[in-house]
């Protein structure tokens, strides 16, 4: 089958919810990808998913071994990989209890429901402008971006949006109906906007003062991405609820909500569920991913290589006047431009580098945790060549 045929059949048989890039990928290994024509690409985006790169042999082995045992069965029964993974996530985080689903939107839905149960009639959740929490009706309502809301009104009631990194505006927004504040330590889709230390510490104190929950959406920042296992560790705070997905399974569909034990027990049998959430295949694969990250010190690698990437991008900023700012933590990095960045993304793709542009002007770099300084050098070489023509 040829690329043109695949593109035409996609148009004929698939609902057009994606603005496709005309490249058909067929193989991945480590930080590299190959398309149907044999062209090689360096993956510095991966949709924020492939934490240990593509098709790591230990992940492939874990999937193969579990697939030969048990792929899926009802959550009304115990399965070993699910309990083992929940234990591991609890041990490496803040000692909470875990609920498994299949995506970030689903675990954010679970967090919203848990917050409302906790509120006992209080239902308002404060979120941030330029946030992104998912595309289900409740999570897009929680998302502070009008373009995500458009066409789906009326939205789910109970969400207030305030500016990111502005603790005073949150304090003003709290009412007797507020049950929680939901925030990303780094806004990913919003442009790699990094929460300040004072902001998250102040937010934790404010939530304690008003006896409301602090929910951290770590779908993009969790599992080593920022140079810590979890983003909250940069700030010396502990959330009441944390949500994880994307990097968690390195390509396997899985999401996890972790909640403090007494809070978690409010979700009693019958209040929430997920048919495929935490199935043995996804859990065995994810456990292999986390063990690999820990055994091979990939969190530390993300910190060191991320600092190297940021420094290299700063060198480009010094070289090109249209680069406005470089920001991020670990291997979650953005470079804001004075003008739209779509053409740069396209030109990089032609040169064999996959990156992304969000909020029109922020080039986003999300390479896997296995990325080396040599990989960074190659990516910067391509990007520099492209920027010279701008």
């Amino acid at each position: 089958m040829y690329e043109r045929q695949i593109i035409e059949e996609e148009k004929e048989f698939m609902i057009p919810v994606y603005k496709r890039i005309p490249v058909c990928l067929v193989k991945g290994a480590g930080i590299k990808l190959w398309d149907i024509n044999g062209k090689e690409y360096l993956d510095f985006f991966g949709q924020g998913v492939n934490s240990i790169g593509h098709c790591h042999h230990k992940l492939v082995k874990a999937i193969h071994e579990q697939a030969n045992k048990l792929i899926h069965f009802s959550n009304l029964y115990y399965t070993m990989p699910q309990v083992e993974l929940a234990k591991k996530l609890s041990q490496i985080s803040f000692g909470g209890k875990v609920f498994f689903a299949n995506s970030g939107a689903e675990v954010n839905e679970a967090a919203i429901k848990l917050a409302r149960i906790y509120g006992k009639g209080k239902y308002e959740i404060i979120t941030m402008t330029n946030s992104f929490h998912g595309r289900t009706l409740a999570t897009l309502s929680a998302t502070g971006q009008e373009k995500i809301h458009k066409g789906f009104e009326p939205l789910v009631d109970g969400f207030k949006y305030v500016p990111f990194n502005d603790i005073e505006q949150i304090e003003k927004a709290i009412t007797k109906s507020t049950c929680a504040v939901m925030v990303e330590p780094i806004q990913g889709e919003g442009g790699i906007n990094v929460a300040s230390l004072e902001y998250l510490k102040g937010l934790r104190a404010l939530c304690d003062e008003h006896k409301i929950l602090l929910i951290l959406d770590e779908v993009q920042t969790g599992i080593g991405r920022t140079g810590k296992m979890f983003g909250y560790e940069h700030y010396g705070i502990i959330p009441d609820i944390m949500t994880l997905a994307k990097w968690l399974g390195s390509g396997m569909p899985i999401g996890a909500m972790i909640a403090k034990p007494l809070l978690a027990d409010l979700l009693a049998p019958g209040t929430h569920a997920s048919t495929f959430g935490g199935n043995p295949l996804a859990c065995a694969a994810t456990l292999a991913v986390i063990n690999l990250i820990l055994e091979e010190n990939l969190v530390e690698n993300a910190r060191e290589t991320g600092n190297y990437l940021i420094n290299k991008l700063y060198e480009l900023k010094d070289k090109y006047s249209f680069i406005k700012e470089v920001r991020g933590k670990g291997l979650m990095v953005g470079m804001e431009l004075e003008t739209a960045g779509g053409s740069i993304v396209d030109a990089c793709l032609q040169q064999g580098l996959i990156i992304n542009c969000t909020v029109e002007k922020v080039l986003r770099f999300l390479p896997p945790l296995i990325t080396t300084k040599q990989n960074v050098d190659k990516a910067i070489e391509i990007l520099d060549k492209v920027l010279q023509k701008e």
Side-chain angles (χ1 to χ4, degrees):
M1 184 176 287
Y2 296 100
E3 188 172 70
R4 184 183 298 273
Q5 181 183 350
I6 292 169
I7 291 172
E8 291 303 315
E9 290 188 356
E10 187 271 349
K11 291 179 181 178
E12 183 177 358
F13 297 112
M14 295 191 68
I15 296 173
V17 295
Y18 302 107
K19 187 177 180 181
R20 302 277 190 184
I21 295 167
V23 172
C24 179
L25 300 169
V26 296
K27 181 182 176 183
I31 195 170
K32 294 181 179 180
L33 288 162
W34 290 266
D35 68 19
I36 196 169
N37 301 309
K39 182 176 177 178
E40 181 180 297
Y41 301 86
L42 196 62
D43 182 10
F44 262 62
F45 176 52
Q47 193 65 39
V49 169
N50 300 100
S51 53
I52 59 171
H54 297 279
C55 301
H56 194 288
H57 67 94
K58 289 187 177 180
L59 175 56
V60 172
K61 180 182 178 183
I63 294 171
H64 177 76
E65 289 179 351
Q66 185 60 45
N68 276 322
K69 296 176 183 177
L70 181 66
I71 294 176
H72 174 74
F73 201 67
S74 169
N75 274 316
L76 296 177
Y77 296 79
Y78 295 95
T79 55
M80 290 170 56
Q82 186 181 92
V83 176
E84 290 171 357
L85 177 59
K87 180 180 178 181
K88 176 68 74 173
L89 287 172
S90 179
Q91 289 174 336
I92 65 174
S93 61
F94 51 85
K97 291 188 175 182
V98 183
F99 169 79
F100 291 115
N102 309 289
S103 67
E106 288 173 86
V107 290
N108 281 339
E109 285 266 359
I112 291 166
K113 290 178 69 174
L114 179 52
R116 287 193 171 188
I117 289 177
Y118 167 82
K120 296 179 180 179
K122 297 179 180 180
Y123 66 96
E124 288 182 351
I125 298 176
I126 299 170
T127 65
M128 311 306 138
T129 53
N130 295 318
S131 60
F132 184 85
H133 299 294
R135 293 189 181 273
T136 62
L137 198 53
T139 56
L140 74 83
S141 298
T143 294
Q145 297 188 51
E146 288 187 11
K147 67 179 182 181
I148 303 297
H149 301 162
K150 190 175 181 180
F152 299 107
E153 300 87 351
L155 301 179
V156 175
D157 191 21
F159 297 99
K160 288 183 174 180
Y161 317 116
V162 301
F164 186 66
N165 262 337
D166 191 334
I167 194 73
E168 292 182 3
Q169 291 301 315
I170 291 180
E171 189 165 14
K172 290 178 182 178
I174 294 173
T175 71
K176 62 182 181 180
S177 296
T178 305
C179 63
V181 175
M182 189 175 193
V183 63
E184 302 156 275
I186 301 176
Q187 293 184 326
E189 296 293 329
I192 313 295
N193 303 312
V194 182
S196 70
L197 179 64
E198 296 76 18
Y199 175 65
L200 277 193
K201 277 187 171 292
L203 191 50
R204 175 71 276 179
L206 193 62
C207 288
D208 290 340
E209 178 186 345
H210 290 273
K211 295 182 171 55
I212 59 179
L213 300 180
L214 176 59
I215 304 169
L216 290 189
D217 178 341
E218 295 227 28
V219 168
Q220 287 203 34
T221 55
I223 314 299
R225 172 58 31 189
T226 66
K228 297 280 189 182
M229 183 58 79
F230 304 105
Y232 73 81
E233 295 179 281
H234 290 283
Y235 300 92
I237 64 165
I238 293 176
D240 298 299
I241 302 172
M242 175 173 65
T243 56
L244 305 168
K246 288 192 181 292
W247 309 108
L248 188 58
S250 196
M252 290 295 289
I254 188 168
M257 176 184 72
I258 306 176
K260 289 180 176 178
L262 292 178
L263 178 64
D265 289 344
L266 295 176
L267 281 179
T271 58
H272 199 57
S274 174
T275 297
F276 295 102
N279 71 69
L281 186 63
C283 286
T286 302
L287 193 59
V289 170
I290 293 174
N291 285 336
L292 179 73
I293 289 171
L294 293 171
E295 291 164 3
E296 299 195 5
N297 297 316
L298 294 185
V299 177
E300 178 66 17
N301 184 67
R303 186 188 66 79
E304 291 184 1
T305 308
N307 287 339
Y308 185 76
L309 171 60
I310 289 171
N311 289 335
K312 287 294 182 180
L313 291 174
Y314 268 115
E315 290 178 10
L316 293 181
K317 180 179 181 296
D318 292 338
K319 186 174 180 180
Y320 299 103
S321 60
F322 54 83
I323 297 176
K324 184 177 179 180
E325 187 178 10
V326 175
R327 54 182 180 261
K329 288 182 182 293
L331 288 171
M332 186 174 183
V333 183
M335 185 169 77
E336 185 173 355
L337 308 175
E338 296 285 355
T339 56
S343 62
I344 293 173
V345 172
D346 293 341
C348 284
L349 184 68
Q350 293 300 315
Q351 296 295 321
L353 173 65
I354 298 176
I355 58 174
N356 168 254
C357 183
T358 188
V359 294
E360 296 186 2
K361 296 182 179 181
V362 180
L363 300 182
R364 184 164 47 158
F365 305 88
L366 301 170
L369 305 185
I370 60 170
T371 302
T372 66
K373 292 177 180 178
Q374 289 75 24
N375 296 144
V376 171
D377 287 340
K378 179 62 177 176
I380 293 296
E381 178 186 338
I382 294 172
L383 181 59
D384 189 16
K385 184 187 300 183
V386 168
L387 294 178
Q388 288 176 16
K389 298 178 182 179
E390 287 296 307

